[in-house]
Amino acid sequence: MLAVIEGFSVVWLIILVGWFVGRQKVLGENAPEVLSRLSFFVASPALLLETLSKADLAEVFSAPLLAAALSAVMTGGLFFLISRLWLRRSVSEALLSAMSSSVVNAANLGIPIAAYVLGNAALIAPVLIFQLAFYTPCYLLLLDTTTSGRRATPGRVFLQIFRNPMILGTLVGLVLAATHWKLPALVAEPVHLIGGAAIPAILIAFGMSLGSSKPLAAKDGWRTDTLLATGFKLALHPVVAYLLGRFLIGMDGAALFAVVVAAALPAAQNVYVSAQRYQVGVTVAKDTVLATTILAIPAMFVVALLLG
């Protein structure tokens, strides 16, 4: 568990660097948006391509993936309905809030937690693949449609797929994994270097954004959304994952524990990047990522206590 705390500490140190840089205005007023766009359009697609090209696609159809997929869809879907019917948010705002409540930080936090808490880093792979290959791209397609103001026809959806760099990176990575092709070294090395900028850019941009507003400020009008999304992410999502894994899929032991721990991961920083990209739900995304990243370790201790 000490190594897991160290993993969180690394993330928080990078966020702190971003906060300090933002307070000093070293990179100018628009730096958070520029860094987020750099990650969304350039670095993250390269990271997705490289990560998925090395994936074992047999894991996509495993029982842990089914539990991760169903729990994420159910948690996000329920929050979407609450956001639309009770909080009266727009479709695009509800979509971003649903992402905040159900998309987990499976990359830069999930991997060390799987390695040091679960004893096997490969256990996070089904969640990572599901989110990268299917779940997040579906949200991006819906956000493309709802923020563009144009009706979603099959032709436009097809064009949106090939205009969205993160979805393109996912598709190319999956094709490479399925065919066992490898990129030439001349191409693979630049992709690797560019992809390496994704997580630092996300975390620094997130840290810079913290200096521009007070988290959970009542005057922003999003406190209820943030508190609900945080509760859904750290409490409801793991509970749904447990119930589905235990009683629907028939999982138990270490496999069930791994699914529940993965569901208790904090909201992914990519949610904040998406909010910046589409300029919708930015406050909810930022505050939910902040709150869940702080509270994730206590949440995981509870999971370990109940299931260990």
Side-chain angles (χ1 to χ4, degrees), residues 44 67 69 74 78 96 100 102 121 125 159 211-212 218 240 249-250 261 264:
S44 288
M74 291 178 67
L78 179 58
L96 236 302
S100 300
S102 59
L159 287 175
S212 61
V240 172
I249 303 174
V261 167

Side-chain angles (χ1 to χ4, degrees), residues 59 64 68 104-107 109-115 118 120-131 258-259 261-263 265:
E59 294 174 339
V104 305
N105 194 336
L109 289 180
I111 291 173
I113 285 171
L118 307 177
N120 182 1
L123 291 173
I124 200 64
V127 179
L128 189 62
I129 292 171
F130 165 67
Q131 288 196 164
V259 166
V261 167
L265 285 165

Side-chain angles (χ1 to χ4, degrees), residues 242 245-246 249-258:
Y242 172 79
R246 178 71 180 86
I249 303 174
M251 301 172 66
D252 57 15
L256 179 62
F257 181 60

Side-chain angles (χ1 to χ4, degrees), residues 43-63:
S44 288
L47 180 62
L48 291 173
L49 190 158
E50 181 182 34
T51 301
L52 290 174
S53 69
K54 300 174 181 177
D56 180 2
L57 295 188
E59 294 174 339
V60 172
F61 304 101
S62 63

Side-chain angles (χ1 to χ4, degrees), residues 149-294:
R150 293 175 294 182
R151 187 168 61 89
T153 64
R156 283 176 178 164
V157 168
F158 183 80
L159 287 175
Q160 284 167 359
I161 290 174
F162 288 94
R163 287 175 179 171
N164 191 307
M166 291 185 72
I167 296 176
L168 272 179
T170 297
L171 291 176
V172 173
L174 288 174
V175 169
L176 291 174
T179 58
H180 302 289
W181 290 350
K182 291 185 178 181
L183 293 174
L186 189 63
V187 177
E189 187 62 23
V191 168
H192 172 73
L193 291 173
I194 293 171
I199 291 173
I202 292 170
L203 295 176
I204 290 174
F206 180 69
M208 294 181 72
S209 72
L210 297 179
S212 61
S213 64
K214 182 180 178 182
L216 296 175
K219 62 182 178 62
D220 290 337
W222 296 98
R223 178 184 288 176
T224 301
D225 304 67
T226 301
L227 292 175
L228 278 174
T230 300
F232 269 53
K233 178 77 257 342
L234 296 181
L236 183 63
H237 194 178
V239 169
V240 172
Y242 172 79
L243 294 175
L244 290 172
R246 178 71 180 86
F247 299 107
L248 179 65
I249 303 174
M251 301 172 66
D252 57 15
L256 179 62
F257 181 60
V259 166
V260 179
V261 167
L265 285 165
Q269 275 89 8
N270 270 335
V271 176
Y272 170 73
V273 172
S274 299
Q276 282 278 24
R277 161 66 181 88
Y278 296 103
Q279 286 299 294
V280 61
V282 176
T283 299
V284 175
K286 178 185 64 178
D287 289 356
T288 303
V289 170
L290 175 65
T292 55
T293 302
I294 293 172

